[in-house]
Amino acid sequence: MSKPRIAIFPVGGPRTASVRFRMLAFVPHWEKAGYEARVFWPVFGGRNPVARVLDLSRDAARAGWFDVVVAHWKTYPPPFNRWLRRRARLLVFDFDDAIFMPPPRLAKNAR
């Protein structure tokens, strides 16, 4: 039986503090627990929209090869998040900063 596999899709490179402390720090622990962890660094840097599409496409295409997919700080526009969700067995989004939203009673169209 093969080891369960974890794919990590960070938004930055290995010198990015949040990547080091929130993703890379856990890789040895996952491996000790019997997982195989693989990091897919963003290969298309900068704010080029074509490069971003290629990077998000690569993430979604590879998601099906893994048991767990961890997207660190990445946001996926609707076509990509649907594709990623269909391909990933288990999908985890990690946002290391607080996400500020109004309380539900103040949000428009709240039920």
Side-chain angles (χ1 to χ4, degrees):
M1 185 171 157
S2 64
K3 294 181 176 183
R5 300 176 72 200
I6 298 175
I8 303 167
F9 299 137
V11 74
R15 294 184 60 181
T16 305
S18 65
V19 173
R20 285 194 328 266
F21 293 112
R22 296 190 56 88
M23 293 292 109
L24 299 182
F26 290 100
V27 170
H29 300 287
W30 289 328
E31 290 174 345
K32 186 177 178 183
Y35 288 86
E36 177 187 338
R38 178 137 182 230
V39 180
F40 292 95
W41 302 110
V43 291
F44 308 109
R47 299 193 182 271
N48 182 334
V50 173
R52 178 162 161 76
V53 167
L54 292 173
D55 211 32
L56 297 177
S57 298
R58 181 200 65 168
D59 291 354
R62 289 183 173 167
W65 304 345
F66 295 88
D67 300 296
V68 180
V69 172
V70 180
H72 174 66
W73 260 23
K74 278 194 176 181
T75 56
Y76 293 83
F80 295 100
N81 67 17
R82 284 190 295 273
W83 187 20
L84 187 64
R85 182 60 230 142
R86 279 196 305 268
R87 305 248 324 136
R89 292 184 187 114
L90 179 62
L91 180 58
V92 178
F93 285 97
D94 178 60
F95 297 97
D96 68 348
D97 292 332
I99 298 174
F100 296 102
M101 298 180 72
R105 67 182 183 283
L106 299 177
K108 288 185 178 182
N109 302 322
R111 293 183 186 188

